[in-house]
Amino acid sequence: MSAFIHHELLLLLRTIAVGAVLLLCYDLLAAFRNVFAHSDKAVGTEDILYWLCCAFFVFSEIYRSNEGILRFFMVLGFLSGAYICNRVLGDIFVKCCTKFMEIPVIIIKFLIKWLLFLVKRCKLLWYKAYKYAKKGRLANWVILRKGRKKRK
């Protein structure tokens, strides 16, 4: 094979890999959306930012690897890499990433629930202590007042 064809073949393989990586990044964003609820505006903003980053990344790859010359096989490489990755790994990757991202969320929810239980329990204990202290002070005040009346 000539050096030129060898370079073009490596460029095609590289664009296929880049297309797959870009799709996996979008699947990672989809898994993040599955874990944390988003409004429509937030989803739209995330999509716009993702596609802008993809556009700059693809432009830089084309400029760096092929000196800015856009070839049709490069576009097909990006699309075929994304398509193959979606067929082979798409759903599995999203499910695994969602489960992996849920682990810290579950731990944080448990810790918050446990800490709130302690706060509520301490509030209850403080309220009971205050109530008994108040009753005790009032009871002592009533006893002292009755004692004063008896002395007169």
Side-chain angles (χ1 to χ4, degrees):
M1 249 196 275
S2 71
F4 180 73
I5 301 235
H6 183 60
H7 172 71
E8 299 292 321
L9 184 62
L10 287 177
L11 189 60
L12 177 65
L13 292 176
R14 189 173 180 179
T15 57
I16 290 172
V18 168
V21 167
L22 290 176
L23 182 81
L24 289 178
C25 289
Y26 191 78
D27 286 344
L28 193 63
L29 184 63
F32 182 74
R33 289 178 187 160
N34 289 340
V35 174
F36 300 106
H38 286 72
S39 67
D40 291 338
K41 289 182 181 180
V43 170
T45 305
E46 288 172 355
D47 279 343
I48 288 172
L49 289 175
Y50 171 78
W51 288 111
L52 284 174
C53 290
C54 285
F56 287 125
F57 181 72
V58 167
F59 176 76
S60 69
E61 282 295 311
I62 290 171
Y63 187 75
R64 189 167 27 110
S65 63
N66 205 22
E67 297 160 358
I69 301 170
L70 181 62
R71 307 257 170 105
F72 184 68
F73 72 87
M74 293 177 75
V75 175
L76 288 177
F78 289 128
L79 294 176
S80 64
Y83 179 76
I84 292 168
C85 184
N86 186 29
R87 287 292 180 195
V88 174
L89 292 175
D91 295 333
I92 297 168
F93 185 75
V94 171
K95 287 178 184 176
C96 290
C97 286
T98 301
K99 293 292 181 191
F100 185 70
M101 287 182 193
E102 284 178 347
I103 292 171
V105 172
I106 291 170
I107 292 171
I108 289 170
K109 282 183 180 179
F110 173 76
L111 289 174
I112 289 173
K113 189 175 180 180
W114 184 70
L115 289 172
L116 286 178
F117 171 76
L118 289 177
V119 168
K120 288 179 184 176
R121 186 69 184 157
C122 288
K123 274 177 135 178
L124 184 64
L125 291 175
W126 277 107
Y127 177 73
K128 284 183 179 179
Y130 174 73
K131 192 167 95 175
Y132 289 130
K134 191 175 179 182
K135 276 186 179 179
R137 274 189 266 137
L138 287 176
N140 289 337
W141 183 73
V142 170
I143 291 171
L144 289 175
R145 191 164 182 203
K146 285 182 183 178
R148 285 185 195 161
K149 285 185 182 179
K150 289 181 183 178
R151 290 182 194 163
K152 290 182 182 180

